[in-house]
Amino acid sequence: MEKKVGMEMRANGKINLYLDVLSDGASGFHEIQSIMQSVSLCDRVTVSAVRGQDVRIRLSCNLPYIPCDARNIAYKAAELFCAESGIPAEVHIRLQKRIPVAGGMAGGSTDGAAVLRALNKLFGEPLTTEQLLAAAAKLGSDIPFCLCGKTAVCTGRGEVIEPVENRAKLLLLIVPSRESVSTPWAYAELDKAFGDFAGRKAQNAARFDALCTALAAGDTAGITKNMYNIFEDVILPKRPQAARAKELLLTHGAIGAMMSGSGPTVFGVFDDDDTRKKAEAALKKHGYYPKQAETIL
Ligand code: ATP
């Protein structure tokens, strides 16, 4: 490719409808069992590129506190694409962030996945789907899921993904909060509370199966009844804004509400748009900035 070409991508965020931890980090990582779900709340990622003499990457972002150098996952994704494909490219990436940062919604990971997809398209698909997925797994645990999206069971570190049948399009209200949660700290808190996590898979199997059945049947009530996030018990007591947001969602008509990932973002599931709008107004009165979104099937 000799001429500079570009494309704009939607980089969708994710929520976890289910998140359990099955082992401690003794083997180098905590093994998880999760159902991840793409949502319409997304970043806009514009990527333009041209073949060059060597790899050159420039990145800009609408948020001043996001690093624009090799610390940015989108930047790392461009470097990795060039290395894996053997293409020395000059790449320009523009990020318009809308997904809450460090909020448990895989915001950085989805930007990275969008850059991998965009560059592979712009250069005529030099990497196969399998090669892209392998590159994504090198970049970060959530990135393979972000490449594929929709609904999937994610195991291992989160990088082993298996699509799940899902007929339920959920109406959501996503509520970021200003309290921060560092993922390593969240896992350390879990370790203190749960020890070696022995027996958790068997203990929660019925709930996990019921959730899968509800997703396949498009049974919203069954989904909200069986949603689960192990992090809630240890994080919400220490993050009162997020705990309050969850409480407000439930008192204003959400049929279910839960924290996503290691938090602190929480989401509510609604039966109808009218109730969702009223809940949105109520949360705004309490100083929150809720965002409407839908799940992507
Ligand atoms: P996850 O759900 O995968 O744990 P998260 O949504 O909690 O991720 P991110 O929004 O990805 O967290 O941000 C985590 C940190 O990564 C931030 O502190 C930020 O400085 C850094 N970062 C690097 N690249 C990006 C990016 N493209 N967008 C947002 N944050 C980024």
Side-chain angles (χ1 to χ4, degrees):
M1 190 178 65
E2 308 305 331
K3 213 171 108 232
K4 195 166 192 173
V5 289
M7 64 198 297
E8 189 183 304
M9 315 283 290
R10 272 170 205 267
N12 297 102
K14 63 87 182 153
I15 54 172
N16 301 77
L17 294 174
Y18 187 92
L19 178 52
D20 201 6
V21 175
L22 306 182
S23 72
D24 59 21
S27 64
F29 64 89
H30 287 82
E31 189 190 350
I32 67 162
Q33 182 182 33
S34 181
I35 296 180
M36 294 199 203
Q37 171 65 61
S38 299
V39 297
S40 56
L41 178 61
C42 62
D43 292 344
R44 297 278 177 170
V45 180
T46 311
V47 181
S48 48
V50 64
R51 194 179 274 273
Q53 301 284 21
D54 41 38
V55 176
R56 253 191 264 162
I57 298 157
R58 272 188 307 137
L59 185 144
S60 59
C61 182
N62 62 324
L63 300 181
Y65 52 87
I66 296 288
C68 288
D69 53 20
R71 286 169 296 171
N72 196 296
I73 305 172
Y75 187 111
K76 286 186 195 157
E79 280 183 323
L80 186 63
F81 173 82
C82 294
E84 298 283 324
S85 64
I87 297 172
E90 288 176 18
V91 183
H92 183 205
I93 303 164
R94 204 161 41 118
L95 300 179
Q96 286 245 249
K97 301 269 331 158
R98 287 161 66 210
I99 300 169
V101 174
M105 290 190 68
S109 299
T110 195
D111 296 345
V115 167
L116 286 178
R117 272 192 289 134
L119 288 175
N120 205 40
K121 254 210 170 108
L122 292 173
F123 284 101
E125 314 215 328
L127 302 182
T128 63
T129 306
E130 288 69 32
Q131 286 172 320
L132 265 188
L133 280 169
K138 275 191 209 169
L139 207 54
S141 310
D142 290 346
I143 303 184
F145 170 76
C146 293
L147 265 186
C148 305
K150 299 189 180 174
T151 317
V153 173
C154 303
T155 51
R157 286 180 289 123
E159 86 286 13
V160 182
I161 52 173
E162 196 183 318
V164 164
E165 192 183 356
N166 180 6
R167 291 201 172 81
K169 193 157 183 93
L170 303 176
L171 298 179
L172 305 172
L173 211 48
I174 290 174
V175 191
S177 71
R178 288 190 203 92
E179 301 163 326
S180 69
V181 171
S182 112
T183 306
W185 171 77
Y187 272 101
E189 290 296 306
L190 272 191
D191 287 342
K192 276 195 257 165
F194 290 92
D196 64 1
F197 302 89
R200 289 200 61 81
K201 193 170 180 178
Q203 207 177 303
N204 280 333
R207 182 174 207 157
F208 179 80
D209 292 346
L211 178 56
C212 291
T213 305
L215 284 166
D219 165 15
T220 308
I223 294 168
T224 52
K225 189 170 155 225
N226 292 294
M227 294 190 309
Y228 177 69
N229 183 349
I230 188 175
F231 282 100
E232 282 202 320
D233 284 348
V234 295
I235 303 299
L236 289 183
K238 297 190 164 140
R239 292 296 180 268
Q241 261 185 37
R244 179 86 177 117
K246 178 176 170 177
E247 216 175 86
L248 287 167
L249 283 166
L250 290 169
T251 50
H252 288 90
I255 51 171
M258 199 169 76
M259 195 175 78
S260 182
S262 54
T265 305
V266 297
F267 63 91
V269 181
F270 291 84
D271 257 339
D272 63 275
D273 198 36
D274 204 39
T275 312
R276 178 168 66 170
K277 274 194 194 124
K278 286 182 183 143
E280 184 182 15
L283 272 123
K284 279 184 180 163
K285 274 198 192 142
H286 283 86
Y288 291 94
Y289 296 93
K291 294 166 194 264
Q292 290 191 15
E294 280 75 49
T295 54
I296 295 175
L297 302 185

